Amino acid sequence: MMDLKLPSFAPPVCSVLLSGGTGLVGQYVTDGLLRAGHSVRLGGRRQPASDLTFTHLTLDPTLDQREQFAGIDAFIHLAFDHLPGRYRGGEGDDPVRFRHLNHEGSVKLFKDAKAAGVKRCIFLSSRAVYDGLAAGSVLREDMTLSPDSLYGQIKLESEQALARLSSSTFITTSLRATGVYGHHRPNKWDALFGDYLAGRPIAPRAGSEVHGDDLATAILLLLEQDANVVNGRAFNASDIVTDTHEILSLYGKAGGVSHPLPAPADHAMVNVMDTTHLKSLGWQPGGRDKLKSSLRNLAVSSR
């Protein structure tokens, strides 16, 4: 954390520009911001079917987009350009373009936001910054990192660039999120559910997850937190480790379907993210009860 003289209290922001707000994760963050009483402006390439105010925003680092931040108190950057359904490997056969847009484009947006007088900036990073660590590692924010995926490298480098822009008037924070699930449709597990309902074989796979509502709550906590606590820092956001066996068992039971399930996967192979720092701010994710509730709702809505 940078050694800065900061105000002891940061008042809640009012006007938020949210990039990537129409994506799967963005829906939860948008809902959370609105429930908390914030004014939300969506930023993106194409205007969505939404009643919210829209601002044209791109990841092109050659553009000056300072005007898009006029009247904005906080910038939450979720947008990421990738092949559909893929983050790791999302560069396809064009890693140069992938880096140009997602790193250089993100850093340019951070700089434009700061130049325009935005007070706070939160960057949605990823657990991919820990890629390459040995199985069984506990992932902590203070680790020395050298991710072995291009996705992880870009997220880490963008975090570092944002932290270097931190000042007493530009409060920056990165949130290292694990996989995000939830109740909205389209859903990240739609293809998995489709294979299960069709009786197709499914490979055992385990991973860590956090509900989109809990991710939105984490962002709100960081947004409204005392600047001294969050400025220039990164926080882990993860809740549970689950696998395709558990997910489809709960989904099938709720939907009255009993197709063969994949074998349970080895949870010990999933590196657990230490979320002590985020929880010290009051963050309390929903755990397995939230997973069960979400899968029940998804199964019922599919009938």
Side-chain angles (χ1 to χ4, degrees):
M1 185 173 175
M2 300 183 67
D3 184 16
L4 298 169
K5 293 183 179 180
L6 303 176
S8 59
F9 172 73
V13 296
C14 297
S15 181
V16 180
L17 177 58
L18 179 66
S19 74
T22 60
L24 294 179
V25 175
Q27 295 178 70
Y28 299 100
V29 178
T30 299
D31 290 348
L33 289 167
L34 293 174
R35 283 196 299 268
H38 296 293
S39 171
V40 178
R41 187 188 303 176
L42 299 179
R45 291 172 297 175
R46 292 179 294 274
Q47 185 159 358
S50 171
D51 294 332
L52 295 176
T53 304
F54 173 77
T55 294
H56 188 265
L57 203 67
T58 83
L59 289 168
D60 184 347
T62 67
L63 299 179
D64 183 344
Q65 300 184 82
R66 284 175 291 180
E67 289 186 0
Q68 277 83 332
F69 293 95
I72 294 297
D73 299 304
F75 176 43
I76 300 175
H77 184 40
L78 310 182
F80 198 84
D81 188 280
H82 58 93
L83 293 178
R86 298 177 66 187
Y87 293 93
R88 294 175 180 86
E91 67 272 19
D93 58 1
D94 196 350
V96 173
R97 178 181 182 276
F98 193 68
R99 175 177 289 279
H100 181 70
L101 294 177
N102 292 311
H103 175 59
E104 296 170 24
S106 293
V107 174
K108 183 58 165 60
L109 286 174
F110 299 153
K111 291 179 177 178
D112 285 350
K114 181 175 182 177
V118 172
K119 301 177 183 68
R120 294 237 176 181
C121 182
I122 296 176
F123 170 54
L124 183 63
S125 187
S126 167
R127 70 168 284 140
V129 301
Y130 299 107
D131 283 355
L133 294 175
S137 300
V138 177
L139 309 180
R140 297 185 176 89
E141 294 95 335
D142 60 356
M143 298 175 105
T144 300
L145 303 175
S146 182
D148 61 6
S149 67
L150 180 59
Y151 175 55
Q153 292 166 17
I154 286 173
K155 285 293 190 180
L156 181 60
E157 290 169 15
S158 299
E159 281 186 20
Q160 293 167 340
L162 179 60
R164 287 193 292 270
L165 291 170
S166 299
S167 71
S168 60
T169 56
F170 188 60
I171 311 306
T172 74
T173 317
S174 293
L175 187 63
R176 296 173 177 172
T178 190
V180 180
Y181 79 96
H183 52 275
H184 281 308
R185 282 259 162 71
N187 192 272
K188 68 176 288 182
W189 289 327
D190 282 342
L192 177 65
F193 297 151
D195 287 342
Y196 174 68
L197 294 174
R200 290 187 280 267
I202 296 168
R205 181 182 179 277
S208 56
E209 300 286 343
V210 64
H211 194 284
D213 287 346
D214 292 329
L215 182 71
T217 298
I219 288 175
L220 284 166
L221 279 170
L222 298 176
L223 195 62
E224 300 177 355
Q225 197 65 220
D226 188 295
N228 293 284
V229 176
V230 299
N231 199 25
R233 292 184 60 184
F235 291 81
N236 286 341
S238 183
D239 186 14
I240 59 171
V241 174
T242 185
D243 60 14
T244 48
H245 177 91
E246 180 181 28
I247 292 166
L248 293 175
S249 175
L250 294 169
Y251 180 80
K253 183 177 180 180
V257 181
S258 56
H259 291 314
L261 295 166
D266 184 0
H267 289 200
M269 297 301 292
V270 180
N271 291 344
V272 175
M273 299 177 76
D274 183 339
T275 58
T276 300
H277 292 151
L278 191 58
K279 287 178 177 175
S280 72
L281 305 182
W283 188 63
Q284 297 179 330
R288 281 197 146 63
D289 287 343
K290 205 154 199 172
L291 176 69
K292 293 174 183 178
S293 174
S294 295
L295 288 169
R296 184 167 55 248
N297 290 338
L298 287 168
V300 170
S301 67
S302 297
R303 290 176 180 171

